[in-house]
Amino acid sequence: MTEPAVTGAPPTPRADLRPAWVAVDLAAVRHNAALLAQMVAPSRLCVVVKADGYGHGAAAVSRAALEGGASWLAVALVEEGIALRQAGISAPVLVLSEPPADAMAEVVAHGLVPTLYTRSGVRALAEEAAAAASTVAVHVKVDTGMHRVGADPQDVAEIVGAVVAAPQLRFDGLYTHLAVADGSATEDDDFTATQLGRLEDVRRSLAAAGLTPRLVHAANSAGAIAHPSARLDLVRCGIALYGLLPGPGLGPALAAAVAAGGGHGELRPVLSLRARVSFVRNVDEGERPSYGRRYPLPEPSAVAIVPIGYADGVPRRYFDGGGTVLIGGRRRPLAGTVTMDQILVDCGPAADVVAGDEVVLIGAQGEESISAWEWAKVLDTIAYEVVCGIGPRVPRLVIDAEQAAAAAP
Ligand SMILES: *Cc1c(COP(=O)(O)O)cnc(C)c1O
């Protein structure tokens, strides 16, 4: 079978050629990993770095998280795991869904830990492991109510039996994924308890058959924060590693969990999205800048043009929802529709804004700040989608907080 050709790769983004960038603060990653590791101890911390580390850059985030106290990494795709190995990272890497049969050879070659939940998946992996004469640790996933991926509880014994019957496979983990875990409603708590109960039933019946995995796990960030009984042997934290709460109301639960673990402090946001004003023009009152002429200027205003648009992950809806940006430490409204490559900002009359000024779309400037959750509210989504939505055309500049000023282009 010939594979269809893949279209060409996009050009390498360069902040020196177009001043728009994501700053990724590795000191914040280390801090968050340490905070979470202490909070969940003696459970171990697996950090989820799928989707290029939720848009932050998987390799740099992984290294910093491991330095901060994480012991596992998790990805969604085999190619994401391969990228970590090619970056020289040797920590255990869990692939969160069962890889396709055609991907199993690479799973083995790169020493990834696959998730399995079908007989055909076990067979495909066992063949490749035997061919490579390698031993492969596997985690078996059970569906306890999310109804996405994972084996039905009544099928788990057969799948685990096939794993242990394959001389090259080792039954390293048993896990599930929580469907509602942000702790915001009583019925959510009840369903989380139901899922944990179903996982425990499976674990117990496997144990009765002499099948005991080294690690049992269930919690994502919300589970780790709001449901201590979900922590088990390992927690899989994504969003919290990046300094964002899984739900906007989880601040008190986080503070309580950190204190209960003997720690102190808060999560620190890792990412900020910044650019520089490329051009400033003076526009008369009543003029309507940008596509569709949807924003009548209330006064004669300086309109700042900023070279970042919806092709970079600033959605068109950001204008409709009343989104703002920071320039000169002040909030400023968009002056019309977000375009593909640029936004327009109403800086008001007599503004002291000039080309080259820094614009903050997400992050802090002076006393003001705009969070990913604020974007989520404007856009009627969640912070996860905001940070994952920042496009590959925007360069990721890795900094440590202490060097932030020096590193900005
Ligand atoms: C993405 C994912 C996580 C991480 O979830 P967060 O809410 O970001 O902590 C954990 N487990 C699985 C199976 C996932 O797919």
Side-chain angles (χ1 to χ4, degrees):
M1 194 179 85
T2 51
E3 295 295 323
V6 173
T7 58
T12 303
R14 282 178 52 181
D16 57 333
L17 302 184
R18 182 201 36 168
W21 69 99
V22 166
V24 177
D25 179 0
L26 296 183
V29 174
R30 281 192 294 273
H31 165 86
N32 295 338
L35 188 86
L36 293 167
Q38 182 181 12
M39 181 185 87
V40 303
S43 300
R44 309 231 279 161
L45 175 64
C46 171
V47 292
V48 181
V49 296
K50 61 193 178 189
D52 199 24
Y54 291 36
H56 293 63
V61 163
S62 296
R63 279 189 215 100
L66 292 165
E67 285 166 16
S71 40
W72 278 74
L73 306 169
V75 294
L77 308 178
V78 172
E79 53 267 47
E80 293 174 337
I82 294 172
L84 295 176
R85 291 289 181 251
Q86 287 173 342
I89 293 167
S90 57
V93 174
L94 176 64
V95 181
L96 291 166
S97 291
E98 185 175 282
D102 287 348
M104 292 302 189
E106 300 230 29
V107 166
V108 176
H110 294 280
L112 307 177
V113 177
T115 293
L116 296 178
Y117 36 78
T118 68
R119 284 297 306 267
S120 57
V122 176
R123 207 175 312 121
L125 180 68
E127 277 169 22
E128 295 299 343
S134 300
T135 301
V136 180
V138 309
H139 287 213
V140 172
K141 191 174 199 173
V142 50
D143 173 27
T144 57
M146 171 81 175
H147 301 323
R148 187 174 59 177
V149 296
D152 285 342
Q154 68 271 17
D155 297 336
V156 171
E158 187 199 340
I159 288 160
V160 171
V163 168
V164 300
Q168 242 95 26
L169 304 188
R170 184 158 54 83
F171 179 38
D172 192 55
L174 175 75
Y175 77 104
T176 194
H177 190 45
L178 302 176
V180 279
D182 70 0
S184 58
T186 319
E187 59 267 40
D188 291 0
D189 283 343
D190 286 351
F191 195 70
T192 296
T194 299
Q195 288 193 270
L196 294 172
R198 289 174 183 163
L199 178 66
E200 173 58 15
D201 289 346
V202 169
R203 188 198 65 75
R204 215 179 302 123
S205 65
L206 290 174
L211 302 170
T212 309
R214 192 168 62 94
L215 300 167
V216 180
H217 49 110
N220 52 12
S221 295
I225 291 167
H227 299 277
S229 66
R231 290 177 193 155
L232 306 176
D233 300 318
L234 186 77
V235 302
R236 307 183 306 269
C237 287
I239 200 76
L241 178 72
Y242 306 100
L244 299 169
L245 289 170
L250 277 178
L254 175 71
V258 169
H264 58 88
E266 298 189 339
L267 295 171
R268 281 200 228 147
V270 171
L271 168 154
S272 63
L273 177 60
R274 295 166 192 271
R276 292 195 184 281
V277 172
S278 61
F279 189 68
V280 180
R281 70 184 326 132
N282 293 309
V283 182
D284 288 341
E285 174 183 348
E287 288 292 318
R288 296 162 167 262
S290 197
Y291 291 125
R293 307 186 66 248
R294 294 159 69 215
Y295 182 81
L297 280 172
E299 324 171 75
S301 292
V303 172
I305 315 303
V306 183
I308 187 168
Y310 64 73
D312 302 299
V314 184
R316 280 183 92 246
R317 282 174 299 133
Y318 197 62
F319 166 68
D320 307 71
T324 59
V325 303
L326 306 178
I327 305 177
R330 287 179 47 195
R331 278 175 186 272
R332 324 257 185 184
L334 299 193
T337 308
V338 172
T339 73
M340 188 182 294
D341 313 304
Q342 313 193 57
I343 56 173
L344 298 80
V345 180
D346 180 359
C347 298
D352 51 357
V353 173
V354 297
D357 282 358
E358 187 194 64
V359 182
V360 171
L361 293 101
I362 298 173
Q365 191 185 56
E367 301 293 296
E368 282 283 357
S369 70
I370 296 175
S371 69
W373 271 110
E374 179 178 332
W375 269 48
K377 206 174 285 176
V378 169
L379 298 166
D380 191 23
T381 181
I382 55 177
Y384 297 72
E385 191 180 27
V386 170
V387 292
C388 290
I390 300 172
R393 206 170 71 164
V394 184
R396 269 61 173 174
L397 303 186
V398 157
I399 54 169
D400 273 303
E402 307 80 62
Q403 306 150 11

